[in-house]
Amino acid sequence: MSSLRQIINITVVYRIQTAYFGKYLLYQILKRRIYKLNFEESLKKLEEMTDKIRRDDTSLEDAIKCYEEGLKCYNECNEILKNAKQNIEVIRREEA
């Protein structure tokens, strides 16, 4: 009887972990699709944030928010460029 209980407990724990992990993966996928901008959009937004920070009429709070948003855009641009570089390297290796 105790082995049956252990099997049931293991099954329940496994299902809970699987459900949580599945929701976490779905969240990550949706988050990336919703917030992922293309390179041009990210670069334009980064330039806008930079211009706003440089303006004299921007408050410290707004400048900090712009900095945080600009950093996100910078990281997005950097990731896109890194992926493009990897793709180019793969193409070059295939051609050689």
Side-chain angles (χ1 to χ4, degrees):
M1 190 67 151
S2 67
S3 63
L4 180 59
R5 263 200 178 135
Q6 288 175 338
I7 292 171
I8 291 172
N9 287 341
I10 291 171
T11 304
V12 169
V13 169
Y14 174 76
R15 286 185 179 173
I16 290 170
Q17 288 175 342
T18 305
Y20 173 77
F21 186 67
K23 286 180 183 178
Y24 174 77
L25 284 178
L26 180 61
Y27 167 75
Q28 291 298 326
I29 291 168
L30 290 175
K31 186 172 107 175
R32 290 182 77 62
R33 284 188 181 166
I34 291 170
Y35 295 109
K36 191 163 188 152
L37 303 173
N38 67 32
F39 182 79
E40 290 79 16
E41 291 171 337
S42 292
L43 185 60
K44 182 179 178 184
K45 192 162 187 163
L46 177 59
E47 290 170 349
E48 290 171 1
M49 296 298 110
T50 303
D51 291 341
K52 191 169 182 179
I53 290 172
R54 289 182 179 160
R55 288 199 320 240
D56 291 336
D57 63 338
T58 303
S59 69
L60 180 60
E61 283 183 17
D62 287 342
I64 292 171
K65 288 177 186 175
C66 287
Y67 176 80
E68 291 171 348
E69 187 66 30
L71 191 57
K72 289 177 188 175
C73 292
Y74 169 80
N75 289 333
E76 185 68 31
C77 287
N78 211 15
E79 181 182 338
I80 292 168
L81 289 174
K82 186 174 83 173
N83 290 337
K85 181 180 177 183
Q86 289 173 348
N87 289 339
I88 290 170
E89 289 173 359
V90 167
I91 292 169
R92 284 185 177 170
R93 277 189 239 138
E94 290 175 354
E95 289 179 352

